[in-house]
């Protein structure tokens, strides 16, 4: 296992070097400028996300689609992922993570637009879409579409499954002494009860779970920030300065280079909000919407909530807590998050456990749908049931394997998904601009696609 982890770490280091950082941030910046800062439309996007579009074509509502995407993105990346980025890259990683979210809104918008533009309707009335369909139907690159689907199926077992199950098992064991084997068995049963019902079952559970879990987690973070209010301004200064300074961060943190802060901040930012990854458009394609731009705006709001709000609050909680309490060990992501929440008397640890459990479980559900659609694209509907069985078994295995190995595998799979998806966004940017001009810039959001 140690040798496997070493190999995966080397591959991850290569994939997440400067070329990936430039490609990812470059795409975010390019689309932000090309689409005239769609971030400025975020309030319109939020309004549309809670508005029913029952006359549109699709399987689930826009909100259900967004909730499923948020369920897949709001997971351990928001809790342990941010803490891991800080432990490995220093407090400056928080700013890079946040910037990835801000500019990633444009990329998430573009992904959602192409998902609707190139989606297909099956004989039984289901809507299928995502980067594999954009690559095949928009660019004619069937071979790259197949590669993306393969990478997505693999990633669903990493970012969406084993990482989440592992995080639940570790925290349950450290907090309450529960055996990882027991935790894995329980989460397996809960996963099977939902995913066997298909997309509507997943969307229904996520629509109920996401608002509830996000509210209580943010509330807990705000309580900690209230306790640490004397250290908020120093924490903000440290985050900004450390993002661009190669010198030691101070305040109890180890020194970190700009490259380390950027690499781990951007990697965890992508892991959290998945902008550029190509996962969210898979479920966006199932939404009931009048035209591609409406769903594109709704999709973009997911990155805002996930990273611009939740990840930023998490990072500020952790950095301020390290400054406030000298006894906090910042070298381990999971322990670091637990130590910060333990500063809430009586309720801190149970709140974190509940937040991590619901976040991680919802991510497992959302990514099951992504994996299903990927394997269906590769081999047809007949192999989806087989995938579900393997997916449920992987939940148990993820609960008992080494955490470092799981994270390294997830980082590799993320990068391999992102590359073909980012290429499709860059090469199809003309289509994205055309549709945006037609419906958004000309104030025709309420019109139906011709």
């Amino acid at each position: 296992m140690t040798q496997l982890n070493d190999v995966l770490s080397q591959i991850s280091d290569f994939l997440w070097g400067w070329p990936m950082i430039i490609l990812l941030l470059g795409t975010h910046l390019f689309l932000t400028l090309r689409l005239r800062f769609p971030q400025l439309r975020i309030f319109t996007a939020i309004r549309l996300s809670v508005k029913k579009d029952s006359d549109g074509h699709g399987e689930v509502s826009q909100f259900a689609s967004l909730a499923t995407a948020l369920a897949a993105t709001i997971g351990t990346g928001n809790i342990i992922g941010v803490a891991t980025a800080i432990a490995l890259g220093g407090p400056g990683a928080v700013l890079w993570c946040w910037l990835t979210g801000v500019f990633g809104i444009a990329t998430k918008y573009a992904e959602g637009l192409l998902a609707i533009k190139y989606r297909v309707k099956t004989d039984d009335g289901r809507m299928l879409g995502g980067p594999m369909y954009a690559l095949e139907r928009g660019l004619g690159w069937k071979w790259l579409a197949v590669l993306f689907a393969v990478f997505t199926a693999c990633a669903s077992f990493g970012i969406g499954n084993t990482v989440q199950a592992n995080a639940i098992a570790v925290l349950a064991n450290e907090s309450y002494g529960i055996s990882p084997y027991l935790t894995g068995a329980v989460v397996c049963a809960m996963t099977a009860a939902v995913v066997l019902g298909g997309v509507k079952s997943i969307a229904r559970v996520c629509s109920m779970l996401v608002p509830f879990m996000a509210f209580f987690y943010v509330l807990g973070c705000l309580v900690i920030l209230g306790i640490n209010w004397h250290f908020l301004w120093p924490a903000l200064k440290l985050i900004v300065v450390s993002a661009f300074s190669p010198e030691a961060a101070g305040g109890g943190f180890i020194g970190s280079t700009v490259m380390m802060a950027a690499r781990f901040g951007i990697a965890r930012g992508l892991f959290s909000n998945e902008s550029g990854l190509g996962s969210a458009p898979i479920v966006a394609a199932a939404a009931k919407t009048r035209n591609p731009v409406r769903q594109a705006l709704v999709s973009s709001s997911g990155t805002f909530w996930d990273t611009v709000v939740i990840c930023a609050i998490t990072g500020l909680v952790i950095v301020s807590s390290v400054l406030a309490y000298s006894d906090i060990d910042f070298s381990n992501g999971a322990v670091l998050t637990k130590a910060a929440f333990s500063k809430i008397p009586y309720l801190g640890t149970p709140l974190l456990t509940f937040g991590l459990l619901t976040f991680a479980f919802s991510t497992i559900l959302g990514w099951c749908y992504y994996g299903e659609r990927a394997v269906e694209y590769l081999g047809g509907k007949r192999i989806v049931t087989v995938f579900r069985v393997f997916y449920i078994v992987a939940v148990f295995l993820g609960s008992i394997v080494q955490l470092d190995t799981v994270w390294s595998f997830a980082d590799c799979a993320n990068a391999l998904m992102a590359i073909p998806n980012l290429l499709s966004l860059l090469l199809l940017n003309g289509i994205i601009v055309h549709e945006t001009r037609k419906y958004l810039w000309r104030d025709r959001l309420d019109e139906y696609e011709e």
Side-chain angles (χ1 to χ4, degrees), residues 38 41-54 60-67 109 287-302 305 439-440 443-447:
R41 309 275 187 159
I42 192 62
F43 293 109
T44 299
I46 294 172
R47 176 179 58 83
L48 288 174
S49 69
V50 296
K51 184 178 181 181
K52 289 186 177 181
D53 197 1
S54 56
V60 297
S61 68
Q62 291 179 143
F63 178 76
S65 171
L66 174 63
Y109 169 92
K288 294 179 180 178
T289 187
R290 302 183 188 188
N291 57 67
V293 172
R294 284 176 73 95
Q295 184 56 37
L297 287 169
V298 172
S299 294
S300 71
S301 67
W305 292 119
Y439 293 106
L440 183 61
D443 295 322
R444 299 169 59 187
L445 280 176
D446 293 331
E447 295 189 10

Side-chain angles (χ1 to χ4, degrees), residues 108-182:
K108 186 65 73 71
Y109 169 92
E111 290 176 322
L113 191 152
L114 292 181
I116 300 297
K117 181 67 178 178
Y118 292 109
R119 67 181 179 179
V120 298
K121 188 174 183 179
T122 64
D123 294 337
D124 56 358
R126 294 177 300 120
M127 292 291 189
L128 304 180
M132 50 276 204
Y133 293 91
L135 287 165
E136 179 184 354
R137 303 183 69 207
L139 294 173
W141 291 356
K142 175 75 173 181
W143 65 274
L144 193 56
V146 169
L147 282 179
F148 175 84
V150 170
F151 296 149
T152 301
C154 292
S156 68
F157 286 97
I159 182 176
N161 187 318
T162 51
V163 164
Q164 313 301 327
N166 188 279
I168 295 172
V170 168
L171 194 63
N173 181 258
E174 292 181 351
S175 300
Y176 305 104
I178 301 174
S179 168
Y181 290 89
L182 177 59

Side-chain angles (χ1 to χ4, degrees), residues 162-434:
T162 51
V163 164
Q164 313 301 327
N166 188 279
I168 295 172
V170 168
L171 194 63
N173 181 258
E174 292 181 351
S175 300
Y176 305 104
I178 301 174
S179 168
Y181 290 89
L182 177 59
T183 302
V186 172
V187 178
C188 259
M190 294 170 60
T191 302
V194 178
V195 301
L196 295 178
V199 62
K200 293 185 178 179
S201 174
I202 294 173
R204 183 171 60 253
V205 173
C206 292
S207 296
M208 295 185 293
L209 189 59
V210 167
F212 181 71
M213 70 185 191
F215 172 78
F216 279 98
Y217 177 73
V218 171
L219 182 62
C221 287
L222 293 178
V223 170
I224 297 176
L225 293 178
I227 295 173
N228 298 345
W229 72 274
H230 284 294
F231 297 91
L232 294 186
W233 180 244
L236 281 170
K237 289 174 60 178
L238 183 61
I239 288 170
V240 174
V241 172
S242 300
F244 303 102
S245 173
E247 299 177 358
F253 291 96
I254 58 175
S256 174
T257 65
V258 173
M259 179 61 186
M260 289 175 64
R263 181 208 159 184
F264 289 108
I266 293 172
R268 292 297 177 255
L270 174 60
F271 185 94
S272 176
N273 64 54
E274 300 176 14
S275 293
L277 193 62
S279 53
I282 296 175
V283 70
K288 294 179 180 178
T289 187
R290 302 183 188 188
N291 57 67
V293 172
R294 284 176 73 95
Q295 184 56 37
L297 287 169
V298 172
S299 294
S300 71
S301 67
T303 298
F304 172 79
W305 292 119
D306 177 88
T307 306
V308 179
V309 176
I310 296 180
C311 279
I313 293 176
T314 301
L316 194 55
V317 162
I318 293 171
V319 175
S320 65
S321 294
V322 172
L323 295 180
Y325 306 99
S326 59
D327 61 331
I328 291 182
D329 177 15
F330 56 85
S331 61
N332 185 298
V335 175
L336 177 55
T337 308
K338 179 183 175 183
F341 270 80
S342 68
K343 301 308 175 182
I344 303 179
Y346 306 111
L347 297 178
T349 299
L351 181 63
L352 176 61
T353 304
F354 172 77
L356 185 59
L357 173 63
T358 53
F359 279 25
F361 180 62
S362 67
T363 299
I364 291 172
L365 299 183
W367 267 91
C368 182
Y369 179 76
Y370 297 159
E372 286 181 12
R373 297 290 76 79
V375 298
E376 182 173 356
Y377 179 83
L378 293 171
K381 189 178 179 180
R382 64 184 180 278
I383 65 173
V384 170
T385 301
V386 176
F387 168 83
R388 288 174 179 171
V389 172
F390 279 103
Y391 193 84
I392 293 168
V393 171
V395 171
F396 178 79
L397 296 177
S399 302
I400 60 176
V401 299
Q402 183 182 349
L403 179 62
D404 291 342
T405 302
V406 174
W407 277 104
S408 297
F409 174 77
D411 276 345
C412 294
N414 288 355
L416 292 174
M417 274 186 71
I419 293 171
N421 178 59
L422 293 173
L423 287 175
S424 72
L425 294 174
L426 293 172
L427 295 175
L428 292 172
N429 76 87
I431 299 295
I432 299 169
V433 170
H434 172 77

